[in-house]
Amino acid sequence: MDLSDDTLAGMEQVARDAGALLLRYFRRPLAVSYKGVANLITEADTASEHLIRERLAPIVPDAAFLGEESGGELSLSGMSWVVDPLDGTTNFAHGFPWFSVSIALVEHGVPVRGVVYHPVLDELYAATAEAGAFRNGVPISVSTTGSLVDALLTTGFYYHKGGELARQIALFERAHQRVQTIRRPGSAALDLAYVAAGHFEAFWEQGLSPWDVAAGYLLVQEAGGRVSDYAGRPVRIGEGETLASNGYLHDEMVVLLRGVRGSTSPAAPSL
Ligand code: IPD
Ligand code: CA
Ligand code: CA
């Protein structure tokens, strides 16, 4: 489908408006409920998704809608909006100023336009397939760091705290031995945007949903980086494992992640 040049501009405006709405709720008394143990939803998540859904509809009227809070589905035969109205809800609910709005337009399951907005810093990350990635209109690119020992990595742990958590912590420890250091900021969409902009060399997390990653994958790819599963294979949005990097460190990251992919996986060779 041919998209007009205004499509991205429209998405950017919607993300900015949703971000402004979030700031009106931020650090004020907030109605909070739980989707699961430790998995919060606030009135700001719901209000943001409502605004985004309403405002996106006229931009590409035929597109399906998949949003974290209202559900829906991803059309594999056409266009879909894939929306996280507030990525970093736990941070938001605690007044920690690291959260974002993520909006992607996805065609046949592949992101073709993406925006991630960080309202507190007023940073708008935007990408169009095959046309590059930008922050507030200025082109961005991944870092050129080629050695793990100089790398700043970022990761996340998903809400489920079952047996998987031990494996994730083991991986964190293993990675930490080899790199400069690791952050866990709490917004996967921003983790990806910050890989795209060259601030992090790589990001990994498992269990992410399409709305967490759709815009971010496009940002990383358009900024010259690479996105795959932990084994380095191509990955579709929301397919379980995310490894995003500046490209230079991707193969080394795959080796690093290999040792803890499953109890039957062989131990990774030393790097
Ligand atoms: C979460 C954030 C977090 C990641 C979780 C996500 P939410 O999204 O992106 O960084 O570690 O896996 O679910 O719930 O704040 O939209
Ligand atoms: Ca999210
Ligand atoms: Ca969310």
Side-chain angles (χ1 to χ4, degrees), residues 75-127:
S75 160
L76 292 178
S77 58
M79 310 286 290
S80 314
W81 296 113
V82 180
V83 170
D84 193 333
L86 169 46
D87 187 50
T89 294
T90 308
N91 288 344
F92 185 90
H94 287 264
F96 182 61
W98 199 259
F99 53 88
S100 61
V101 174
S102 177
I103 302 174
L105 185 59
V106 173
E107 186 168 24
H108 307 310
V110 179
V112 292
R113 301 278 189 285
V115 300
V116 173
Y117 183 51
H118 187 325
V120 173
L121 294 181
D122 190 24
E123 290 180 349
L124 185 80
Y125 295 84

Side-chain angles (χ1 to χ4, degrees), residues 75-268:
S75 160
L76 292 178
S77 58
M79 310 286 290
S80 314
W81 296 113
V82 180
V83 170
D84 193 333
L86 169 46
D87 187 50
T89 294
T90 308
N91 288 344
F92 185 90
H94 287 264
F96 182 61
W98 199 259
F99 53 88
S100 61
V101 174
S102 177
I103 302 174
L105 185 59
V106 173
E107 186 168 24
H108 307 310
V110 179
V112 292
R113 301 278 189 285
V115 300
V116 173
Y117 183 51
H118 187 325
V120 173
L121 294 181
D122 190 24
E123 290 180 349
L124 185 80
Y125 295 84
T128 298
E130 288 168 39
F134 301 83
R135 173 168 55 208
N136 293 348
V138 178
I140 52 172
S141 55
V142 292
S143 84
T144 54
T145 302
S147 73
L148 277 180
V149 76
D150 296 320
L152 178 62
L153 306 190
T154 182
T155 188
F157 305 105
Y158 65 174
Y159 292 114
H160 180 63
K161 298 192 200 299
E164 272 304 307
L165 185 61
R167 198 156 69 90
Q168 293 177 36
I169 299 290
L171 174 53
F172 188 100
E173 185 183 351
R174 176 186 164 79
H176 205 273
Q177 304 288 355
R178 290 168 169 78
V179 304
Q180 198 166 74
T181 194
I182 307 173
R183 301 288 181 244
R184 195 288 188 234
S187 164
L190 286 177
D191 288 324
L192 289 161
Y194 276 58
V195 170
H199 305 304
F200 293 128
E201 273 64 46
F203 164 63
W204 81 93
E205 184 167 347
Q206 74 179 81
L208 291 169
S209 299
W211 47 79
D212 297 312
V213 299
Y217 280 7
L218 186 62
L219 284 166
V220 171
Q221 286 159 342
E222 287 301 320
R226 226 175 116 186
V227 177
S228 74
D229 70 6
Y230 287 2
R233 295 174 299 223
V235 69
R236 295 175 75 92
I237 56 172
E239 238 180 20
E241 292 174 347
T242 293
L243 168 59
S245 81
N246 65 0
Y248 301 98
L249 288 172
H250 210 85
D251 293 342
E252 283 182 90
M253 285 301 300
V254 167
V255 173
L256 199 56
L257 296 174
R258 192 183 297 152
V260 289
R261 289 191 72 237
S263 51
T264 54
S265 300

